[in-house]
Amino acid sequence: MREPAYGNYEEMADGLVDGLAAYLDKPFGFFGQCGSALAAVETTIRLAERGLPVPKRLFLSSQVAPHDPPYGRLLGMTNPQLRDELRCLFSELGAEPPEDLVDLAHEILITDMEATRKYRHDHAVELATPITAIAWTRDIDVPAELTKGWSDYAPTTFELLEGVHYTFLEAPESLRAVIVRDLGSGS
């Protein structure tokens, strides 16, 4: 928490690759929800560029492909609206964090939204890693039909799971089953 936030996903990916490089001796996958899906993609690109092992599979949840126009309810929110969104999320999760924790989460969310707005590809980038694109039946932030662009990056399996944008936080059995299935499939 003492380190400065990354200003974009490219910088974040460089830092992740540096930190992960020594631990890539076993098969692995990346799961990214919303903006972190873009960080997972960029980290995969950076791993391949450096000749390092890439994930066996990318699990990209509630995010449009970066060559498609950015989309997401949070992207259009003001800073006070983002803070209110955090308070609602904490409340839905049954938490009442102290105000300084809300402040920290708010700063992170603002930085994340800015990085998401900036991360773009002019065209799809071919990845050596297959994708499982995950959408949620009641996601008002990123509708399932907007996730189809991932198939331009790599062979893609599409999954529509029951839930809302934040359901992944509960690690529902349906999500765990998809991850186990696709990590174990060899494709």
Side-chain angles (χ1 to χ4, degrees):
M1 292 187 341
R2 291 180 208 137
E3 296 178 15
Y6 291 104
N8 58 57
Y9 292 127
E10 293 86 352
E11 290 175 13
M12 178 185 278
D14 284 334
L16 287 169
V17 169
D18 291 343
L20 291 172
Y23 303 99
L24 303 177
D25 59 335
K26 296 195 179 355
F28 65 97
F30 287 154
F31 175 87
Q33 162 74 18
C34 199
S36 66
L38 303 176
V41 168
E42 188 61 28
T43 302
T44 300
I45 291 169
R46 299 299 168 108
L47 287 169
E49 288 173 351
R50 294 188 192 184
L52 294 168
V54 296
K56 184 175 178 184
R57 189 111 188 156
L58 286 172
F59 298 90
L60 307 176
S61 177
S62 294
Q63 184 55 266
V64 301
H67 71 291
D68 290 334
Y71 189 89
R73 184 176 59 90
L74 300 179
L75 292 173
M77 289 185 175
T78 64
N79 288 349
Q81 289 170 325
L82 287 171
R83 187 178 195 82
D84 290 344
E85 181 73 12
L86 280 171
R87 282 198 179 100
C88 287
L89 177 59
F90 285 135
S91 177
E92 288 173 15
L93 294 172
E96 292 186 36
E99 202 59 28
D100 58 343
L101 186 57
V102 174
D103 291 342
L104 176 63
H106 186 232
E107 288 177 35
I108 292 168
L109 185 57
I110 290 169
T111 302
D112 184 50
M113 290 299 99
E114 188 56 34
T116 299
R117 284 184 200 94
K118 288 190 240 178
Y119 189 71
R120 293 287 147 261
H121 291 173
D122 293 332
H123 51 79
V125 175
E126 188 174 333
L127 299 174
T129 301
I131 295 170
T132 300
I134 300 165
W136 302 89
T137 56
R138 292 175 284 120
D139 188 342
I140 62 171
D141 294 287
V142 181
E145 61 272 10
L146 297 181
T147 65
K148 300 299 181 194
W150 290 115
S151 63
D152 295 336
Y153 286 70
T156 303
T157 301
F158 293 94
E159 291 292 335
L160 183 61
L161 303 179
E162 178 61 35
V164 298
H165 190 74
Y166 299 113
T167 297
F168 80 99
L169 290 170
E170 302 164 11
E173 174 56 35
S174 59
L175 176 60
R176 289 179 292 153
V178 165
I179 291 171
V180 167
R181 179 197 71 202
D182 288 358
L183 277 179
S185 71
S187 62

